[in-house]
PDB file of all heavy atoms in Angstrom:
ATOM      1  N   VAL A 128     352.584  80.300 -44.011  1.00 75.00           N
ATOM      2  CA  VAL A 128     353.345  80.763 -42.848  1.00 75.00           C
ATOM      3  C   VAL A 128     353.748  79.585 -41.964  1.00 75.00           C
ATOM      4  O   VAL A 128     354.830  79.588 -41.349  1.00 75.00           O
ATOM      5  CB  VAL A 128     352.507  81.777 -42.047  1.00 75.00           C
ATOM      6  CG1 VAL A 128     353.256  82.244 -40.814  1.00 75.00           C
ATOM      7  CG2 VAL A 128     352.136  82.966 -42.919  1.00 75.00           C
ATOM      8  N   THR A 129     352.923  78.554 -41.898  1.00 83.00           N
ATOM      9  CA  THR A 129     353.250  77.383 -41.086  1.00 83.00           C
ATOM     10  C   THR A 129     354.531  76.717 -41.568  1.00 83.00           C
ATOM     11  O   THR A 129     355.375  76.307 -40.765  1.00 83.00           O
ATOM     12  CB  THR A 129     352.086  76.380 -41.120  1.00 83.00           C
ATOM     13  OG1 THR A 129     350.876  77.031 -40.731  1.00 83.00           O
ATOM     14  CG2 THR A 129     352.361  75.213 -40.181  1.00 83.00           C
ATOM     15  N   ILE A 130     354.682  76.623 -42.888  1.00 86.00           N
ATOM     16  CA  ILE A 130     355.900  76.011 -43.440  1.00 86.00           C
ATOM     17  C   ILE A 130     357.118  76.865 -43.119  1.00 86.00           C
ATOM     18  O   ILE A 130     358.190  76.345 -42.769  1.00 86.00           O
ATOM     19  CB  ILE A 130     355.743  75.823 -44.961  1.00 86.00           C
ATOM     20  CG1 ILE A 130     354.572  74.870 -45.259  1.00 86.00           C
ATOM     21  CG2 ILE A 130     357.031  75.301 -45.575  1.00 86.00           C
ATOM     22  CD1 ILE A 130     354.293  74.691 -46.723  1.00 86.00           C
ATOM     23  N   VAL A 131     356.970  78.181 -43.225  1.00 85.00           N
ATOM     24  CA  VAL A 131     358.096  79.074 -42.912  1.00 85.00           C
ATOM     25  C   VAL A 131     358.519  78.927 -41.450  1.00 85.00           C
ATOM     26  O   VAL A 131     359.710  78.818 -41.134  1.00 85.00           O
ATOM     27  CB  VAL A 131     357.705  80.535 -43.225  1.00 85.00           C
ATOM     28  CG1 VAL A 131     358.813  81.482 -42.797  1.00 85.00           C
ATOM     29  CG2 VAL A 131     357.409  80.698 -44.700  1.00 85.00           C
ATOM     30  N   ILE A 132     357.541  78.884 -40.540  1.00 89.00           N
ATOM     31  CA  ILE A 132     357.855  78.736 -39.122  1.00 89.00           C
ATOM     32  C   ILE A 132     358.515  77.396 -38.856  1.00 89.00           C
ATOM     33  O   ILE A 132     359.501  77.293 -38.101  1.00 89.00           O
ATOM     34  CB  ILE A 132     356.583  78.904 -38.278  1.00 89.00           C
ATOM     35  CG1 ILE A 132     356.044  80.336 -38.401  1.00 89.00           C
ATOM     36  CG2 ILE A 132     356.846  78.566 -36.821  1.00 89.00           C
ATOM     37  CD1 ILE A 132     354.725  80.560 -37.700  1.00 89.00           C
ATOM     38  N   LEU A 133     357.991  76.329 -39.483  1.00 90.00           N
ATOM     39  CA  LEU A 133     358.559  74.993 -39.271  1.00 90.00           C
ATOM     40  C   LEU A 133     359.998  74.912 -39.762  1.00 90.00           C
ATOM     41  O   LEU A 133     360.868  74.368 -39.073  1.00 90.00           O
ATOM     42  CB  LEU A 133     357.686  73.955 -39.986  1.00 90.00           C
ATOM     43  CG  LEU A 133     358.118  72.494 -39.833  1.00 90.00           C
ATOM     44  CD1 LEU A 133     358.105  72.082 -38.359  1.00 90.00           C
ATOM     45  CD2 LEU A 133     357.210  71.586 -40.644  1.00 90.00           C
ATOM     46  N   VAL A 134     360.260  75.458 -40.948  1.00 91.00           N
ATOM     47  CA  VAL A 134     361.632  75.439 -41.480  1.00 91.00           C
ATOM     48  C   VAL A 134     362.567  76.262 -40.595  1.00 91.00           C
ATOM     49  O   VAL A 134     363.707  75.863 -40.327  1.00 91.00           O
ATOM     50  CB  VAL A 134     361.633  75.966 -42.933  1.00 91.00           C
ATOM     51  CG1 VAL A 134     363.059  76.153 -43.431  1.00 91.00           C
ATOM     52  CG2 VAL A 134     360.870  75.018 -43.843  1.00 91.00           C
ATOM     53  N   THR A 135     362.093  77.403 -40.116  1.00 92.00           N
ATOM     54  CA  THR A 135     362.916  78.245 -39.243  1.00 92.00           C
ATOM     55  C   THR A 135     363.248  77.531 -37.937  1.00 92.00           C
ATOM     56  O   THR A 135     364.403  77.551 -37.481  1.00 92.00           O
ATOM     57  CB  THR A 135     362.191  79.564 -38.946  1.00 92.00           C
ATOM     58  OG1 THR A 135     361.863  80.217 -40.173  1.00 92.00           O
ATOM     59  CG2 THR A 135     363.064  80.477 -38.109  1.00 92.00           C
ATOM     60  N   VAL A 136     362.245  76.892 -37.335  1.00 92.00           N
ATOM     61  CA  VAL A 136     362.480  76.170 -36.076  1.00 92.00           C
ATOM     62  C   VAL A 136     363.452  75.015 -36.292  1.00 92.00           C
ATOM     63  O   VAL A 136     364.350  74.781 -35.467  1.00 92.00           O
ATOM     64  CB  VAL A 136     361.139  75.675 -35.496  1.00 92.00           C
ATOM     65  CG1 VAL A 136     361.375  74.719 -34.335  1.00 92.00           C
ATOM     66  CG2 VAL A 136     360.292  76.843 -35.035  1.00 92.00           C
ATOM     67  N   CYS A 137     363.310  74.291 -37.403  1.00 92.00           N
ATOM     68  CA  CYS A 137     364.226  73.185 -37.694  1.00 92.00           C
ATOM     69  C   CYS A 137     365.654  73.684 -37.901  1.00 92.00           C
ATOM     70  O   CYS A 137     366.616  73.063 -37.415  1.00 92.00           O
ATOM     71  CB  CYS A 137     363.746  72.414 -38.923  1.00 92.00           C
ATOM     72  SG  CYS A 137     362.212  71.491 -38.689  1.00 92.00           S
ATOM     73  N   ALA A 138     365.802  74.809 -38.616  1.00 93.00           N
ATOM     74  CA  ALA A 138     367.145  75.356 -38.846  1.00 93.00           C
ATOM     75  C   ALA A 138     367.787  75.794 -37.530  1.00 93.00           C
ATOM     76  O   ALA A 138     368.973  75.523 -37.278  1.00 93.00           O
ATOM     77  CB  ALA A 138     367.067  76.532 -39.814  1.00 93.00           C
ATOM     78  N   ILE A 139     367.010  76.454 -36.668  1.00 93.00           N
ATOM     79  CA  ILE A 139     367.535  76.875 -35.364  1.00 93.00           C
ATOM     80  C   ILE A 139     367.908  75.660 -34.527  1.00 93.00           C
ATOM     81  O   ILE A 139     368.938  75.652 -33.836  1.00 93.00           O
ATOM     82  CB  ILE A 139     366.503  77.751 -34.639  1.00 93.00           C
ATOM     83  CG1 ILE A 139     366.299  79.067 -35.389  1.00 93.00           C
ATOM     84  CG2 ILE A 139     366.937  78.035 -33.200  1.00 93.00           C
ATOM     85  CD1 ILE A 139     365.206  79.941 -34.817  1.00 93.00           C
ATOM     86  N   SER A 140     367.096  74.602 -34.582  1.00 91.00           N
ATOM     87  CA  SER A 140     367.363  73.399 -33.794  1.00 91.00           C
ATOM     88  C   SER A 140     368.645  72.712 -34.246  1.00 91.00           C
ATOM     89  O   SER A 140     369.443  72.270 -33.419  1.00 91.00           O
ATOM     90  CB  SER A 140     366.174  72.442 -33.897  1.00 91.00           C
ATOM     91  OG  SER A 140     364.986  73.045 -33.437  1.00 91.00           O
ATOM     92  N   VAL A 141     368.843  72.620 -35.562  1.00 91.00           N
ATOM     93  CA  VAL A 141     370.072  71.995 -36.078  1.00 91.00           C
ATOM     94  C   VAL A 141     371.293  72.804 -35.666  1.00 91.00           C
ATOM     95  O   VAL A 141     372.309  72.254 -35.205  1.00 91.00           O
ATOM     96  CB  VAL A 141     369.987  71.864 -37.620  1.00 91.00           C
ATOM     97  CG1 VAL A 141     371.331  71.433 -38.191  1.00 91.00           C
ATOM     98  CG2 VAL A 141     368.902  70.865 -38.006  1.00 91.00           C
TER      99      VAL A 141
END
Side-chain angles (χ1 to χ4, degrees):
V128 178
T129 306
I130 298 177
V131 175
I132 295 175
L133 182 60
V134 171
T135 304
V136 170
C137 292
I139 294 175
S140 301
V141 171

